[in-house]
């Protein structure tokens, strides 16, 4: 069967999809988007977390056919999604004064800056797009080690900050409770989400 889905703002059509295929398989093997990781295939680890119509889901548990006609956001589209969200916020707050979109972010490390300048945008192939605030924060807080769990954590954390820009530690823990990490001990991950929230609040002032 053919499955038509919008992924990171772009329409895709996947042909010859087997009825039992997961959304994760379609994303990775048919659409060439390997950011969502294939780990447990049981919805236990969160490495394959994506947003389906805005809601975080484990892509390994979603049948590809269930995504027909729906919108999917993966880690590859996180930076572009954050940019569009930031632009919408800036336009809404235009009366408050001129912004400085090109300014360097406070606390940004050399490594984060280098990654940000080289980040490839998911919306338009080859276009450079700054990293999402949560991606920059994960780099600066040292929350990335082996990186296998990171895509799912980033998607889940970004969704949390979108609906709750000033989360408590309990909010962060709850939002990331479905994402397992065997390397960091979680404290650096919590630090990264706190840092992303603080930076986002600072930019909004």
């Amino acid at each position: 069967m053919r499955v038509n889905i919008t992924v990171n703002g772009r329409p895709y059509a996947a042909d010859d999809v087997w009825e039992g295929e997961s959304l994760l398989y379609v994303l990775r093997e048919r659409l060439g988007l390997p950011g969502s990781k294939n780990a447990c295939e049981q919805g236990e680890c969160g490495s394959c977390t994506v947003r389906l119509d805005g809601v975080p889901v484990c892509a390994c548990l979603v049948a590809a056919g269930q995504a027909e006609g729906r919108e999917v956001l993966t880690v590859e589209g996180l930076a572009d999604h954050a940019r569009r969200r930031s632009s919408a916020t800036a336009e809404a707050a235009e009366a408050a004064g001129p912004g400085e979109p090109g300014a360097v972010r406070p606390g940004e490390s050399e490594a984060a800056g280098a990654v940000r300048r080289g980040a490839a945008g998911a919306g338009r192939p080859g276009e450079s797009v700054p990293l999402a605030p949560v991606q920059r924060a994960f780099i600066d807080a040292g929350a990335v080690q082996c990186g296998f769990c990171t895509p799912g954590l980033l998607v889940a954390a970004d969704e949390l900050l979108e609906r709750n820009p000033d989360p408590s530690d309990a909010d962060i823990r709850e939002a990331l409770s479905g994402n397992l990490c065997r390397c960091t001990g979680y404290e650096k991950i919590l630090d990264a989400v706190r840092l992303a929230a603080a930076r986002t609040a600072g930019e909004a002032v």
Side-chain angles (χ1 to χ4, degrees):
M1 65 177 176
R2 167 175 287 190
V3 175
N4 298 284
I5 53 178
T6 299
V7 183
N8 302 328
R10 301 176 64 191
Y12 286 89
D15 290 317
D16 301 321
V17 176
W18 173 56
E19 287 81 354
E21 274 184 27
S22 67
L23 175 60
L24 177 61
Y25 184 90
V26 169
L27 290 172
R28 289 177 58 84
E29 306 299 334
R30 296 189 182 277
L31 302 186
L33 297 169
S36 307
K37 301 308 180 188
N38 185 5
C40 72
E41 295 188 285
Q42 297 178 355
E44 296 290 339
C45 72
S47 295
C48 66
T49 301
V50 300
R51 291 175 68 175
L52 183 62
D53 288 342
V55 179
V57 298
C58 289
C60 70
L61 296 183
V62 178
Q66 290 179 288
E68 170 67 31
R70 302 173 73 178
E71 294 194 7
V72 177
L73 176 68
T74 73
V75 69
E76 287 93 342
L78 211 56
D80 196 52
H81 178 71
R83 180 182 60 80
R84 292 195 304 268
R85 183 173 60 211
S86 179
S87 296
T89 301
E91 289 173 6
E94 194 175 71
E100 298 181 38
V104 176
R105 275 72 170 185
E108 183 175 65
S109 71
E110 288 296 325
V115 173
R116 176 169 64 84
R117 289 188 292 273
R124 301 167 189 83
E127 179 179 330
S128 179
V129 176
L131 292 176
V134 71
Q135 290 173 308
R136 294 195 305 268
F138 265 60
I139 294 172
D140 291 345
V144 180
Q145 289 193 24
C146 83
F148 205 81
C149 66
T150 305
L153 284 164
L154 288 169
V155 172
D158 185 75
E159 188 275 338
L160 165 66
L161 295 176
E162 184 174 298
R163 61 181 165 83
N164 183 0
D166 186 23
S168 66
D169 281 3
D171 293 330
I172 298 172
R173 290 175 184 275
E174 180 179 359
L176 303 184
S177 61
N179 298 80
L180 303 182
C181 174
R182 296 184 180 275
C183 300
T184 64
Y186 297 101
E187 196 55 45
K188 293 293 186 182
I189 294 170
L190 296 176
D191 287 344
V193 181
R194 295 182 193 113
L195 178 59
R199 286 179 175 173
T200 301
E203 291 175 0
V205 173

